[in-house]
Amino acid sequence: MFTGEYEHNVDPKNRIFVPAKFREELGETFIVARDIRGPRLKMFSLEGWQEYIAPILQQERKISERAMRYLHRNASQVSPDSQGRILLSRELLDYAEISREAVVVGCSSYAEIWSVNNWRAEIQGEDAEEICDELERFGL
């Protein structure tokens, strides 16, 4: 399970450090893809990625093929180097608006990579009372 929040720099070669406990969950090779809901990236284990795309594969072929092209065209299958860094493509970094600093955030079954500015704006806009009300509606 992915938990926690970690700030890291992106080095001049477009590499970012992935926390050790995340690497344990992600495995030796994993997927980094654009988040369809906003300028951030998602990291999935290979198994987690298959679970994520499984509902798409249940759709008619015309829809699923188009969706798969969209999701996979800029996704990367990555493996951390000996120092725990992964290489991110310029396309992924540009999409997530990441230049030098990034935040890696655990989200239970996957992790996200945000630009520091976008992350700070996201959490600054959080309404803790509203979120707690929603959690209570879920039975927590």
Side-chain angles (χ1 to χ4, degrees):
M1 178 178 296
F2 300 99
T3 59
E5 171 184 329
Y6 308 88
E7 282 194 34
H8 294 289
N9 288 329
V10 176
D11 73 15
K13 295 181 180 179
N14 296 342
R15 297 176 298 191
I16 186 171
F17 180 77
V18 177
K21 66 182 192 173
F22 284 15
R23 292 193 314 268
E24 290 173 17
E25 291 285 327
L26 290 163
E28 291 183 24
T29 301
F30 52 92
I31 301 292
V32 178
R34 299 180 302 185
D35 187 328
I36 63 170
R37 291 179 185 83
R40 58 194 162 263
L41 306 175
K42 287 188 172 184
M43 292 188 292
F44 295 91
S45 66
L46 295 178
E47 181 181 322
W49 179 252
Q50 291 301 319
E51 291 172 12
Y52 180 70
I53 64 172
I56 298 168
L57 299 174
Q58 303 304 312
Q59 305 303 311
E60 63 181 83
R61 180 169 271 174
K62 181 179 177 181
I63 295 168
S64 67
E65 287 177 351
R66 185 174 176 202
M68 290 304 217
R69 275 192 299 276
Y70 179 80
L71 289 173
H72 285 88
R73 75 174 182 231
N74 289 311
S76 293
Q77 189 168 321
V78 298
S79 297
D81 64 15
S82 61
Q83 295 180 3
R85 300 170 301 187
I86 57 169
L87 178 65
L88 296 174
S89 69
R90 176 52 41 203
E91 291 79 15
L92 287 173
L93 290 169
D94 288 347
Y95 176 81
E97 302 172 357
I98 297 170
S99 55
R100 190 164 167 249
E101 298 175 310
V103 179
V104 180
V105 182
C107 297
S108 186
S109 61
Y110 61 92
E112 295 177 334
I113 306 173
W114 291 72
S115 74
V116 168
N117 291 338
N118 288 346
W119 177 246
R120 288 181 181 152
E122 177 76 13
I123 61 174
Q124 184 176 9
E126 284 181 346
D127 181 341
E129 189 173 321
E130 180 183 332
I131 292 170
C132 288
D133 288 345
E134 289 175 8
L135 292 172
E136 286 181 357
R137 283 194 296 276
F138 296 149
L140 299 178

